Amino acid sequence: MNLLLITNLFPTHFDPERGIFTLQLARRLQKHCNVTVLCPLPWFPSISLIQNRKWQQYSQVSSQYTIEGIRVYSPKYLLIPKISENIHASLMAKSLSRCIASLHKQHAFDVVNSQWLYPDSVAVDKAIHSLKLPHVATGLGSDINRELYQAGKTQQIMKMLQASTAITVVSSNLKNELIDRKLPADKITVIPNGIDTDKFHLLEKNECRKTLQLEHDIPVILYIGRLSTEKSIKTLISATQKLIKNEYPVKVYLLGDGPLRIELAEQAKSLEIDKNIVFMGKVDHNEIGTWLGATDYLCLPSIMEGCPNVILEALGCGRPVIASRVGAIPDIVTQKSGILFTPEDVSELSCSLEKAINTDWSAEEISRSVEKYSWEHAAEHYYNVFDSAISKKS
């Protein structure tokens, strides 16, 4: 089987952690089929009066590069940020069409998988229309939770989903959203993300804290992710204040960066808990396992999620998860591996953290709870969906 995998969420040499979960999947899929990766990115001049690090990095990504043995093609397309949002897929499609046609002559693809419904899947649907290739569209989270409900995008996404040969999503919650949109249930397959067990496994807590130079005698709560509105970190900071008032002297480490960093720091200061909230900034993915090993609890208070890998990684390290009841999280976290709460409910989160601190958790049992969530298992599921899609198109 010759597979063409298309997504803008894939690592580059300038941003090696971008879409790292897609790289993990692609590596495992190579055991089942020949994988070619297309990572379309916006074109932005390398020399510009407009200083925007993110967009200027795109211009420095080569049109072809290799990462962990996988050949990646990165066609560029013109995009004006924000202004072009509703025609983003059409602009991407023009660039993809030329690149896909050229690569198809070389590799004779049997099936195309696009990851991220907008703009990627919509663009792919347009780009491969004349090639009549089976198309498996994959929804990952916000592309369904948010993009599907935005004016100007809804119709484009629904038209693409109806035309696709098959659909995969990372949680039953996302599948139900699509079923509510009148898409047939038998067209949608739930395939959760996987966990890299070589990196995320049981580690000795004190050794990890020693490596990171953290205190040994205080409960540590860890958040890993983007500092943005949908992650609802304000809820965690407010809940932390309640914990401290109830004489639980915890330390919260926030790993990641984003547009709310200054605002969140000001919130912590105004609540007089700035010494308990530590902003670590972006941390290399290779260090995440050590951080999870060092923590007592992972907290993910998001308003919306798909299948967050950090949840699987924390559980793999044997650490209990306190998270909002959204996306695939209720499918993964059990009463023996964590506590779920209502999104944006400060009091409920504070009580959940307090309960977690007073619970005797079994790290071994927590780690065993995610043994079935391997990337190898996920790749097998994807392969079966691809194989079925090829049969339907024959």
Side-chain angles (χ1 to χ4, degrees):
M1 181 190 296
N2 293 327
L3 167 68
L4 177 59
L5 175 61
I6 304 177
T7 181
N8 80 87
L9 299 173
F10 206 81
T12 69
H13 296 300
F14 297 96
D15 191 356
E17 294 174 24
R18 176 184 176 86
I20 197 164
F21 53 87
T22 321
L23 172 62
Q24 297 286 359
L25 174 62
R27 285 177 52 207
R28 273 54 171 210
L29 280 170
Q30 283 186 311
K31 297 177 181 178
H32 301 273
C33 51
N34 301 313
V35 181
T36 301
V37 175
L38 236 64
C39 178
L41 293 173
W43 175 82
F44 197 78
S46 56
I47 301 174
S48 175
L49 296 175
I50 303 173
Q51 297 300 312
N52 187 308
R53 185 170 174 269
K54 170 187 171 183
W55 288 87
Q56 288 179 339
Q57 276 187 347
Y58 291 151
S59 67
Q60 297 173 52
V61 176
S62 174
S63 59
Q64 296 182 35
Y65 62 94
T66 302
I67 192 160
E68 294 197 22
I70 295 177
R71 191 65 172 168
V72 183
Y73 297 85
S74 184
K76 305 301 186 294
Y77 58 96
L78 180 64
L79 180 73
I80 303 172
K82 295 183 180 179
I83 296 174
S84 303
E85 191 58 30
N86 286 344
I87 58 168
H88 193 157
S90 296
L91 295 172
M92 181 189 284
K94 290 181 180 179
S95 176
L96 280 178
S97 294
R98 294 188 294 272
C99 189
I100 293 172
S102 174
L103 289 172
H104 186 46
K105 289 179 181 178
Q106 302 173 44
H107 302 283
F109 298 118
D110 298 299
V111 62
V112 180
N113 174 222
S114 59
Q115 302 245 341
W116 199 251
L117 300 188
Y118 192 91
D120 303 53
S121 296
V122 174
V124 168
D125 180 58
K126 296 174 184 291
I128 68 171
H129 180 73
S130 62
L131 298 176
K132 308 298 181 185
L133 289 169
H135 176 207
V136 178
T138 296
L140 300 171
S142 296
D143 50 349
I144 294 175
N145 292 325
R146 185 177 56 205
E147 309 285 349
L148 184 56
Y149 296 91
Q150 291 182 352
K153 298 179 185 177
T154 303
Q155 189 174 352
Q156 295 183 64
I157 296 172
M158 288 304 301
K159 182 180 178 183
M160 174 276 299
L161 290 172
Q162 289 159 358
S164 65
T165 316
I167 303 165
T168 72
V169 292
V170 293
S171 75
S172 57
N173 178 274
L174 294 175
K175 177 174 181 174
N176 290 335
E177 284 199 46
L178 294 183
I179 291 172
D180 288 344
R181 287 273 177 169
K182 309 303 180 187
L183 287 161
D186 60 358
K187 188 177 184 177
I188 309 164
T189 303
V190 177
I191 308 177
N193 286 341
I195 177 176
D196 187 343
T197 53
D198 292 334
K199 290 183 178 179
F200 303 103
H201 50 80
L202 290 173
L203 293 170
E204 211 288 315
K205 186 182 296 180
N206 287 332
E207 285 298 315
C208 291
R209 290 200 181 188
K210 184 178 179 181
T211 300
L212 297 171
Q213 299 181 332
L214 304 183
E215 302 99 321
H216 289 258
D217 57 350
I218 188 170
V220 170
I221 299 168
L222 188 65
Y223 165 83
I224 303 174
R226 184 169 162 77
L227 306 184
S228 52
T229 304
E230 73 278 3
K231 299 300 183 181
S232 195
I233 305 158
K234 289 182 179 180
T235 304
L236 172 57
I237 293 174
S238 296
T240 302
Q241 184 202 32
K242 283 182 172 289
L243 268 183
I244 292 169
K245 280 186 175 180
N246 290 338
E247 299 184 354
Y248 289 92
V250 299
K251 204 77 170 273
V252 177
Y253 289 87
L254 305 177
L255 273 59
D257 212 339
L260 294 188
R261 178 165 181 159
I262 294 174
E263 189 176 333
L264 294 170
E266 290 173 349
Q267 180 194 7
K269 188 173 182 178
S270 69
L271 295 175
E272 299 181 348
I273 57 167
D274 46 310
K275 291 183 180 179
N276 299 81
I277 308 291
V278 184
F279 293 83
M280 296 303 300
K282 200 169 184 179
V283 174
D284 190 287
H285 193 259
N286 291 322
E287 298 176 18
I288 296 298
T290 306
W291 275 99
L292 288 170
T295 195
D296 292 292
Y297 320 96
L298 177 84
C299 184
L300 193 65
S302 307
I303 299 169
M304 60 176 69
E305 282 289 352
C307 181
N309 273 64
V310 69
I311 294 282
L312 295 168
E313 292 163 355
L315 296 176
C317 292
R319 300 300 179 255
V321 168
I322 295 82
S324 49
R325 203 177 286 104
V326 297
I329 297 173
D331 299 340
I332 299 168
V333 178
T334 68
Q335 290 183 345
K336 293 184 178 181
S337 63
I339 301 170
L340 303 182
F341 65 93
T342 306
E344 298 185 286
D345 190 323
V346 173
S347 295
E348 190 178 349
L349 173 53
S350 179
C351 290
S352 297
L353 290 169
E354 192 171 325
K355 181 180 178 181
I357 292 170
N358 291 312
T359 298
D360 185 18
W361 301 96
S362 167
E364 291 77 12
E365 189 170 2
I366 291 172
S367 185
R368 285 197 299 271
S369 73
V370 291
E371 285 179 347
K372 63 181 179 180
Y373 293 102
S374 69
W375 280 116
E376 287 77 12
H377 188 65
E380 288 177 12
H381 270 269
Y382 273 101
Y383 178 81
N384 291 336
V385 173
F386 299 154
D387 191 46
S388 176
I390 293 169
S391 299
K392 288 178 184 177
K393 207 74 174 179
S394 300

